[in-house]
Amino acid sequence: MIQIEEMWIEEFRGIRDLHLALDGECFAVWGPNGTGKSGVVDAIEFALTGDVSRLSGSGSGGVTLAKHGPHVHRRDDPAKARVSMKVRDTSSGETSVLTRTVKSASSFTLELDLPAVRTAVDRASQHPEITLSRREIIKYIVATPGDRSKEIQALLKLERLGSVRASLRSAKSKTAATLKALNKSAEDARRSVERHLDVPSLLASEVLAAVNARRSLLGLDPMESVDDTTNLSADAGGGAGGSGFNRDSGLRDIDALLASVTDENGCAGSAGRLEESLRALDDNPGILEALKTRGLIEEGLAQVIDEHCPLCGIAWADGESLQTHLAESLRRSEQAAATRSAILVEAKQLTLDLSAVAGLAKSVRNIADRLGDARVTAALDEWVDTIDVSSGELANIDGIVACRGVVKAEPTLSPEGVFAELEEFRGRVESTPDQTAADEARTFLTIAQERWSARRSAVAAERAADAADKTAQAVYEHYCGAQDEGLALLYQQVQERFGEFYRAINNDDEGEFKASLEPSAQKLDLHVDFYSLGMFPPVAYHSEGHQDGMGVCLYLALMEQLLGEEFRLAVLDDVVMSVDVSHRRQFCTLLATFFPDVQFIITTHDEVWARQMQRSGLVAKNRQVHFLRWNVDDGPAVMEGEDFWDRIAEDLDRHDVSGAAARLRRNLESALAGLAEELGGLVPFRAAGGWDLGELMSAVKGRYGKLLKAAAAAANSWNDEDARERVEDAKQKWAAASFLQESEQWAVNPAVHYNEWANFASEDFRPVVEACRSFLDLFRCVNCGTQVHVSRTNGRDESVRCTCGAISFDLVGK
Amino acid sequence: MARLEDEVLEEFFRRVEGDDQVDDRVGAALRSLFAGNASPKAEAIVELIDTLSEEAIT
């Protein structure tokens, strides 16, 4: 994986020329909406993948990277729109500068074409999910179980698991369908033998009785046993003319064919059930159309972003009406899918019954051919052909609908007048001269053997199909078992980490939080604990802010699973804007403590959140950029992160006391506002905020003094000498710094007019700066660089501490 | 997540090969099929199973 050391953005999206020094560390981009922050996110995505999902995803409405990627003033010059990033391969430590232009977006260049870096960039390019927007996180939380399963499996790149499962399921269905057809063929073959032998079943005794009666007439030894391999016509002769003609058997075949027309267990019954299933289309003609357009509607519904239909461009009254319309269409198509399935089942049964009729027709056709009856032969050939063609049509809905009328009128699809022909033909067969007993016996045995062999083949095919079906079923079940167990384990790990992360953010009021990710079929149910009152879907009771927090936690748990130790870079694009202020510190702590090796690049429009990232130590002071405003000609006006003490020193070196004083006061107000928040300092209530330096200073001093008193009392109650000494030391430092600060505060009092600073020399002002700095340093840990804060549990102040714990005063007494 | 996919496939092969009701050759043939095509189509799987089933019957 890679991390970003530096980046240069030129003429890309809303940015004209911007350089950012990230140094592989967490970095914040903050500023009001519309100042170009997302341009940085787009630039990172573009540099890594050659794409900007916002310009190519659903709802982009004709916007393309090629046309709209360059800054509007450079829209005809895509070669000028470029993003370069100095990236470091986290495995080898090697660095190189990657450059990609909109003109050649599909490829990138490396200043030093190092194989390790190229591999790392290629790897990163396969993971666009390292960029996360709020729209993306919330879909994991508020999605339906089916959609959530798809989204999460897509994020985890598990689509192949689903596609393999679908292939195995389809294979199982195909073998089952083949088995069903061959069951029918074997059954037809069995009946054909029974009909010819004129026996009620193929019990060995029945078969032997019929066969041995003819063998006796031919003077042959009786058979004592029979099995599939027995030659029923052994030693009977029969010549080269094939099975020949056997009148009684032929008459039974003709009768069976004639009876098939009205057989309720055959075509008549299955055609009736098919017609019944087709009536669903009559009751709701739109179903068929909905079925045809189902896929299109699904795509369209996903792309609705306003009142314009993404499929046809027609404008609706509002987007909600359009979505309702498409959802209703989809619902109708779901009905259609069920109807389609029912129709296909009945059509398949009719196909099998027609196949039996075709088998009978072929038998009779052979008799007609043997007797030289060309008209009947032609009629039966036509019938068999019609059944063949129609069986193909009955395999799909359009074909079924097309031949519905014919099937309804004549379920066996017999040509017109064929039954009259058959009745006449039967009379002719019946009136054929009597065969000699020997000829009758011989033809009986040869036809019996022919059908016995056909039955054996049909049964063998049925057995093979049965074995194949059992194998396909077992293979599918083994895959499902392996996949379900694998995913269950994965989701269990994800749910545990998800819960752990969420508790880390919300330990003050949801310390017992737990989550449950339950996979079932193609769904993934997410339930979360709500104040130990039960497990519910996240949207049931949790606020939008909590859902946002869950979304990020789930994302982090998933990324941890997806990339493991390679999870080293993530871009969070305004994803925690709904998280309430009191939980943002914990969120920063979560990122810093659970993912110390991950470079987070975080954008936000919220200044409080931006400062929180800095105070918590997640983002260093010089690893942020403040976008002040934006205009089309210049792009964003930025103020890069800086150590304001250095800037004040520079001001004083230039003898700009006014500038130094203004900068000091502005930054003191900001720092004290943050401290007041972290410590719980009280200021006079004002709906619009806007406290002055004196109010903030009083709030911080007063609160910190009380906290130290409480810490001393707690240390005394526990008789903890070490704690007592540490608190005492802190109190002395606090007193000294406060005294110094108070003695110099007049110089930065708002009442002091700027003009008065003009009378100051730089050296006069330096002690003021040092006093203020010493005061603020009281609250910063020299180890981890973070400011102290009050740690609370269930609304109770528990300790004053920094992030690493080097500063830690317990507030709870015995 | 290629790792999970590989683990699932390996466990799948192991279960097929350990199933007394399934022809021993099926597991090996599936391994070979998946080695040549990460996501084989249903038709290829059916052909493989049909062939081995017919051979087993005859």
Side-chain angles (χ1 to χ4, degrees):
Chain A
M1 188 49 73
I2 57 146
Q3 290 186 327
I4 304 170
E5 302 274 333
E6 282 182 89
M7 64 185 298
W8 298 264
I9 307 170
E10 297 170 46
E11 306 292 1
F12 184 78
R13 303 291 289 145
I15 297 173
R16 304 301 306 265
D17 186 6
L18 179 67
H19 169 245
L20 299 175
L22 297 87
D23 204 26
E25 296 178 10
C26 291
F27 195 86
V29 182
W30 63 285
N33 286 331
T35 52
K37 301 185 298 297
S38 291
V40 176
V41 176
D42 290 345
I44 294 171
E45 184 187 6
F46 172 71
L48 291 179
T49 68
D51 190 23
V52 176
S53 52
R54 289 197 301 158
L55 300 185
S56 58
S58 60
S60 52
V63 175
T64 65
L65 175 68
K67 287 183 182 173
H68 307 99
H71 186 273
V72 66
H73 288 336
R74 290 285 189 176
R75 60 188 182 278
D76 297 326
D77 195 358
K80 285 281 190 287
R82 69 169 59 210
V83 179
S84 297
M85 294 198 308
K86 184 179 180 186
V87 295
R88 182 169 54 84
D89 167 35
T90 54
S91 297
S92 65
E94 293 177 332
T95 62
S96 186
V97 177
L98 172 166
T99 298
R100 201 186 288 264
T101 68
V102 171
K103 186 178 181 183
S104 306
S106 60
S107 61
F108 64 88
T109 59
L110 282 179
E111 192 175 70
L112 285 173
D113 200 351
L114 303 169
V117 177
R118 182 166 285 277
T119 301
V121 172
D122 285 339
R123 177 113 172 95
S125 72
Q126 293 164 15
H127 292 282
E129 63 276 3
I130 60 176
T131 297
L132 181 74
S133 69
R134 183 171 187 273
R135 191 172 62 168
E136 285 159 337
I137 59 164
I138 211 68
K139 71 188 175 188
Y140 303 128
I141 299 301
V142 303
T144 64
D147 288 343
R148 179 182 298 114
S149 177
K150 284 182 196 164
E151 294 287 357
I152 288 182
Q153 291 205 11
L155 175 74
L156 293 177
K157 306 199 181 306
L158 296 174
E159 297 98 327
R160 187 180 151 209
L161 289 178
S163 70
V164 170
R165 187 171 180 142
S167 288
L168 291 171
R169 184 174 57 241
S170 176
K172 177 176 71 83
S173 299
K174 287 176 191 299
T175 58
T178 301
L179 175 60
K180 189 175 181 183
L182 291 177
N183 283 150
K184 179 70 174 166
S185 296
E187 175 68 7
D188 291 344
R190 179 183 63 78
R191 285 186 182 172
S192 176
V193 178
E194 288 172 350
R195 192 168 57 249
H196 173 71
L197 298 181
D198 199 17
V199 294
S201 74
L202 295 188
L203 283 173
S205 57
E206 304 270 10
V207 174
L208 287 172
V211 169
N212 285 335
R214 273 68 182 187
R215 291 182 68 83
S216 174
L217 285 170
L218 294 173
L220 300 173
D221 292 335
M223 290 183 165
E224 294 184 355
S225 64
V226 65
D227 61 29
D228 284 350
T229 60
T230 302
N231 180 359
L232 300 180
S233 61
D235 305 322
S243 57
F245 166 70
N246 182 285
R247 187 176 64 187
D248 290 343
S249 175
L251 287 172
R252 285 193 292 275
D253 283 347
I254 295 168
D255 289 342
L257 182 56
L258 288 168
S260 70
V261 180
T262 54
D263 183 6
E264 279 301 317
N265 293 322
C267 294
S270 53
R273 290 190 296 276
L274 175 61
E275 174 59 25
E276 203 171 312
S277 67
L278 284 166
R279 284 196 196 114
L281 302 183
D282 301 334
D283 297 339
N284 189 350
I287 282 183
L288 194 59
E289 198 56 36
L291 190 60
K292 290 177 183 170
T293 56
R294 182 178 169 83
L296 193 62
I297 294 169
E298 281 179 329
E299 182 70 19
L301 189 57
Q303 295 191 10
V304 172
I305 54 168
D306 55 23
E307 71 278 15
H308 293 90
C309 176
L311 302 175
C312 63
I314 291 174
W316 285 63
D318 53 63
E320 194 175 337
S321 304
L322 172 58
Q323 281 187 318
T324 303
H325 168 72
L326 289 174
E328 177 60 22
S329 300
L330 206 55
R331 193 188 60 74
R332 277 206 306 275
S333 75
E334 281 167 9
Q335 282 182 356
T339 303
R340 174 179 176 273
S341 178
I343 291 171
L344 287 175
V345 166
E346 299 302 344
K348 182 66 182 172
Q349 185 57 50
L350 175 60
T351 304
L352 295 174
D353 291 335
L354 283 169
S355 172
V357 171
L360 281 169
K362 284 178 189 170
S363 295
V364 176
R365 185 254 180 225
N366 289 341
I367 299 166
D369 186 43
R370 171 72 60 179
L371 297 179
D373 194 325
R375 207 168 57 185
V376 172
T377 303
L380 292 175
D381 279 343
E382 182 189 344
W383 193 356
V384 172
D385 286 347
T386 302
I387 288 175
D388 278 351
V389 171
S390 298
S391 294
E393 290 181 347
L394 288 170
N396 62 75
I397 290 291
D398 288 343
I400 293 168
V401 170
C403 63
R404 177 182 182 183
V406 177
V407 168
K408 187 179 177 185
E410 174 41 60
T412 60
L413 303 176
S414 60
E416 192 175 350
V418 76
F419 290 103
E421 291 274 5
L422 280 172
E423 292 287 0
E424 285 179 23
F425 179 60
R426 189 186 191 288
R428 289 197 291 281
V429 170
E430 204 165 20
S431 62
T432 53
D434 286 344
Q435 292 174 296
T436 65
D439 280 347
E440 194 280 338
R442 189 174 295 110
T443 54
F444 181 91
L445 289 176
T446 51
I447 292 172
Q449 176 54 32
E450 197 175 83
R451 296 190 182 188
W452 192 251
S453 295
R455 174 188 162 276
R456 186 178 62 196
S457 298
V459 168
E462 183 188 30
R463 281 187 193 141
D466 186 52
D469 185 51
K470 284 188 170 68
T471 299
Q473 177 76 28
V475 163
Y476 175 67
E477 286 175 1
H478 286 319
Y479 186 82
C480 291
Q483 182 189 323
D484 290 348
E485 276 186 24
L487 283 179
L489 184 61
L490 169 73
Y491 289 140
Q492 187 185 346
Q493 291 166 342
V494 169
Q495 84 179 22
E496 284 171 5
R497 291 294 275 175
F498 167 46
E500 196 175 351
F501 296 160
Y502 187 80
R503 286 193 297 276
I505 297 177
N506 299 279
N507 64 344
D508 58 336
D509 59 348
E510 288 191 90
E512 301 301 316
F513 176 87
K514 57 181 182 290
S516 155
L517 271 171
E518 290 180 17
S520 60
Q522 298 304 307
K523 296 180 178 177
L524 184 61
D525 283 310
L526 171 61
H527 290 92
V528 294
D529 171 79
F530 187 71
Y531 294 98
S532 301
L533 296 172
M535 300 293 283
F536 305 96
V539 295
Y541 297 114
H542 280 91
S543 68
E544 193 175 310
H546 285 84
Q547 289 173 39
D548 272 13
M550 284 181 206
V552 181
C553 291
L554 184 54
Y555 166 79
L556 292 170
L558 290 167
M559 290 299 282
E560 193 179 57
Q561 284 294 325
L562 174 65
L563 294 172
E565 291 182 355
E566 279 198 279
F567 182 31
R568 302 295 294 272
L569 173 65
V571 182
L572 307 181
D573 188 9
D574 229 353
V575 296
V576 286
M577 61 184 183
S578 300
V579 175
D580 60 291
V581 172
S582 62
H583 289 132
R584 287 178 180 166
R585 158 167 285 285
Q586 289 95 319
F587 184 78
C588 294
T589 305
L590 167 77
L591 298 184
T593 55
F594 283 87
F595 302 96
D597 297 326
V598 179
Q599 179 184 27
F600 289 103
I601 298 169
I602 302 171
T603 71
T604 181
H605 63 270
D606 186 335
E607 181 174 350
V608 175
W609 171 222
R611 294 199 181 283
Q612 188 102 48
M613 284 189 270
Q614 184 185 320
R615 287 198 302 274
S616 68
L618 177 66
V619 172
K621 281 180 291 190
N622 56 350
R623 296 288 170 248
Q624 57 177 297
V625 60
H626 179 189
F627 282 28
L628 301 167
R629 59 192 166 276
W630 179 90
N631 69 57
V632 70
D633 293 325
D634 302 322
V638 303
M639 185 165 78
E640 289 202 49
E642 60 204 358
D643 186 329
F644 66 82
W645 299 115
D646 292 343
R647 295 297 304 275
I648 290 171
E650 288 169 14
D651 290 339
L652 294 178
D653 288 345
R654 289 197 307 273
H655 305 293
D656 179 8
V657 178
S658 295
R663 192 184 303 279
L664 176 62
R665 194 160 74 202
R666 194 170 63 240
N667 283 289
L668 267 181
E669 283 175 349
S670 172
L672 289 170
L675 268 174
E677 183 187 315
E678 299 288 4
L679 298 176
L682 297 177
V683 291
F685 174 76
R686 267 186 216 110
W691 298 279
D692 66 31
L693 184 61
E695 290 169 328
L696 291 166
M697 186 64 85
S698 295
V700 170
K701 280 184 180 173
R703 174 64 173 161
Y704 194 58
K706 285 179 182 173
L707 290 170
L708 289 179
K709 273 187 185 171
N716 284 330
S717 76
W718 293 102
N719 202 22
D720 183 338
E721 188 57 33
D722 178 55
R724 227 172 356 223
E725 283 179 13
R726 283 189 289 111
V727 173
E728 187 55 35
D729 182 51
K731 283 170 80 173
Q732 287 179 11
K733 285 179 179 168
W734 174 70
S738 294
F739 174 77
L740 190 60
Q741 184 275 327
E742 282 166 10
S743 64
E744 301 288 359
Q745 180 166 339
W746 65 272
V748 286
N749 191 306
V752 176
H753 196 274
Y754 285 89
N755 289 340
E756 294 184 36
W757 287 327
N759 300 322
F760 274 45
S762 289
E763 294 312 311
D764 297 331
F765 201 72
R766 286 190 202 280
V768 178
V769 173
E770 282 308 311
C772 293
R773 184 169 189 169
S774 298
F775 183 76
L776 289 183
D777 282 349
L778 279 177
F779 305 97
R780 184 171 297 280
C781 171
V782 292
N783 275 5
C784 63
T786 64
Q787 281 187 345
V788 295
H789 63 279
V790 173
S791 174
R792 298 183 181 88
T793 300
N794 295 325
R796 187 175 73 161
D797 295 342
E798 291 218 317
S799 64
V800 176
R801 53 170 298 156
C802 64
T803 298
C804 74
I807 299 176
S808 180
F809 305 126
D810 288 336
L811 300 174
V812 181
K814 202 176 208 176
Chain B
M1 270 293 100
R3 186 167 46 87
L4 177 72
E5 290 180 345
D6 291 344
E7 285 172 3
V8 166
L9 267 188
E10 185 54 38
E11 175 62 14
F12 162 57
F13 295 140
R14 196 189 62 71
R15 290 180 184 213
V16 171
E17 287 161 352
D19 186 343
D20 294 339
Q21 305 299 312
V22 176
D23 188 325
D24 290 344
R25 297 168 304 163
V26 172
L30 284 171
R31 277 185 189 276
S32 178
L33 180 67
F34 277 85
N37 181 352
S39 298
K41 290 196 177 299
E43 289 74 12
I45 297 166
V46 170
E47 187 181 353
L48 177 152
I49 291 174
D50 277 349
T51 302
L52 293 176
S53 299
E54 279 170 24
E55 287 176 11
I57 293 293
T58 54

